[in-house]
């Protein structure tokens, strides 16, 4: 058994609250200038406009995700302004960092660095999406892991939250559920019958939540993903390589070395099965079906979770004579990964501070400044909805024309009309998403707005918007910006 390192009461460490405070202040500053993009707007609009039935039993077939985040936003979206969304994400980000800083077994430098890493700070706190729940829930699971048999209900509720936070959260939860049951079987001689019975009853909760999620999502009716599968070995290998790179360092060989060192350490600490069963479902679905870059932060958090558990000195290790050397190698890996991630977090934050993550706010302002009326705007695609949460009424007359809902649905292909047809109907304004055009149309004033989705130290995609406003209605705005 490994000798425990000397520990002190974290509540008496002045540097720890300073880390949480610094995180809160910086996230507040960056989040205060961050302009929510269409994905953030979509969740707000669904919570505001969808009926509870549609939110639970219709939209998940197209959104392909559980409804927890939408349910959490119902009251804020009904009674508060859109700006509150950033503070909701900030709240959960601060809680997650506080759990990590005060309860994790890592050294102070790691506790200082990880809160400012790219996914924890920027993608999962500044950007206000359901992912803001990931760090809090994953870190709480890590903190309760060693008490999972003593407090099975709390542990199971935390896993249930991970299952219902996101579909990829449900995938990585499979490893937590499966290894929990396996550990119960392994430890059955040392556990009382009542403990085993209670644990099995409790772990059935996230299983039931997962079954409900399957019922919500299937059959998949998303217009592109319902039939899209990838079984080409070259494609799968490329996806696995990209995921590995983006999760750790962006360098294939270095990331692979870190993965192998971590895997050996997990094997020594008897946690390799837990790690593999958590990441394997993620990699599988991502390779043959779908993933997006922001999902990869969950793999980073899973790595941290298993490292957290592995640093418990009470674990009996394999090859104990090698533990001091492997531990040092793993610590080096952690610092290398955090070095990259903190740099990426700083780069993305700097870009967001000086740029525009989305042009939704600018578009909304020019529409309001020119008194554009409800149901008088023609919009071309999903990316234009970034402006909608700033309005209480329905603005796009061609989106869900038979109802008052503002969110975008993904059940059928977008209806694209010829510009000549659109112009003939004389809408008050025309929004062309993901466009930055220099072309003018008779009778309309053109406004161009920039929006760039910052990814690490670059731009993942540009969500610019060209807005045409009828000349007879136009009073002010940054034309041709």
């Amino acid at each position: 058994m490994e000798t425990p390192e000397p520990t002190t009461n974290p509540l008496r460490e002045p540097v720890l609250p300073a880390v949480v405070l610094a995180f809160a202040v910086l996230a507040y500053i960056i989040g205060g200038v961050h302009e929510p993009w269409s994905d953030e707007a979509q969740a707000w609009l669904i919570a505001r406009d969808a009926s509870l039935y549609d939110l639970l039993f219709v939209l998940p077939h197209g959104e392909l995700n559980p409804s927890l985040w939408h349910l959490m936003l119902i009251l804020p979206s009904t009674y508060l302004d859109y700006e509150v969304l950033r503070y909701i994400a900030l709240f959960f980000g601060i809680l997650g960092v506080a759990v990590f800083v005060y309860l994790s077994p890592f050294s102070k430098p790691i506790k200082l660095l990880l809160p400012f890493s790219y996914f924890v700070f920027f993608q999962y706190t500044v950007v206000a999406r359901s992912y803001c729940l990931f760090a809090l829930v994953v870190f709480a699971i890590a903190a309760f892991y060693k008490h999972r048999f003593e407090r099975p209900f709390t542990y199971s509720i935390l896993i249930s939250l991970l299952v219902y936070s996101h579909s990829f959260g449900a995938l990585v939860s499979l490893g937590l559920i499966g290894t929990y049951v396996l550990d119960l079987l392994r430890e059955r001689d040392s556990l009382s019958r009542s403990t085993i019975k209670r644990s099995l009853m409790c772990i059935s909760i996230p299983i039931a939540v997962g079954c409900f999620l399957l019922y919500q999502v299937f059959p998949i009716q998303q217009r592109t993903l319902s039939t899209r599968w990838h079984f080409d070995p070259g494609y799968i290998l490329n996806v696995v390589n990209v995921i590995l790179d983006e999760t750790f360092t962006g360098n294939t060989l270095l990331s692979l070395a870190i993965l192998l060192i971590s895997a050996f350490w997990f094997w020594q600490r008897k946690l390799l099965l837990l790690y593999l069963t958590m990441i394997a479902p993620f990699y599988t679905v991502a390779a043959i079906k779908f993933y997006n870059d922001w999902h990869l932060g969950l793999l980073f958090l899973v790595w941290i979770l298993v490292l957290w558990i592995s640093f418990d000195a009470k674990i009996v290790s394999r090859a104990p004579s090698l533990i001091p050397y492997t531990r040092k190698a793993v610590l080096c890996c952690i610092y290398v990964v955090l070095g990259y991630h903190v740099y990426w977090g700083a780069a993305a934050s700097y870009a967001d501070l000086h740029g525009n993550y989305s042009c939704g706010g600018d578009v909304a302002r020019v529409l309001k400044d020119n008194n554009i009326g409800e149901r008088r705007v023609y919009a071309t695609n999903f990316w234009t909805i970034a402006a909608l949460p700033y309005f209480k009424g329905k603005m796009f007359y061609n989106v869900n024309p038979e109802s008052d809902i503002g969110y975008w649905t993904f059940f059928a292909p977008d209806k694209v009309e010829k510009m000549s047809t659109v112009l003939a109907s004389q809408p008050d304004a025309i929004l062309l998403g993901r466009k930055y055009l220099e072309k003018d149309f008779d009778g309309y004033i053109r406004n161009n707005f920039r929006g760039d989705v910052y990814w690490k130290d670059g731009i993942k995609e540009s969500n610019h918007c060209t807005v045409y406003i009828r000349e007879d209605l136009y009073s002010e705005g940054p034309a041709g910006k």
Side-chain angles (χ1 to χ4, degrees), residues 162 171-176 273-283 299 302 305-306:
L162 184 58
L171 290 174
V172 301
S173 298
L174 293 174
L176 290 167
L273 181 63
L274 172 63
Y275 183 62
L276 292 178
T277 53
M278 290 187 75
I279 67 171
F282 188 112
Y283 271 90
L299 289 180
V302 167
L305 178 148
V306 184

Side-chain angles (χ1 to χ4, degrees), residues 223-239:
R223 61 183 183 234
T224 56
L225 295 182
S226 58
T227 58
R228 188 171 76 185
W229 296 92
H230 304 284
F231 296 106
D232 175 66
Y235 176 86
I236 293 174
L237 184 61
N238 180 66
V239 169

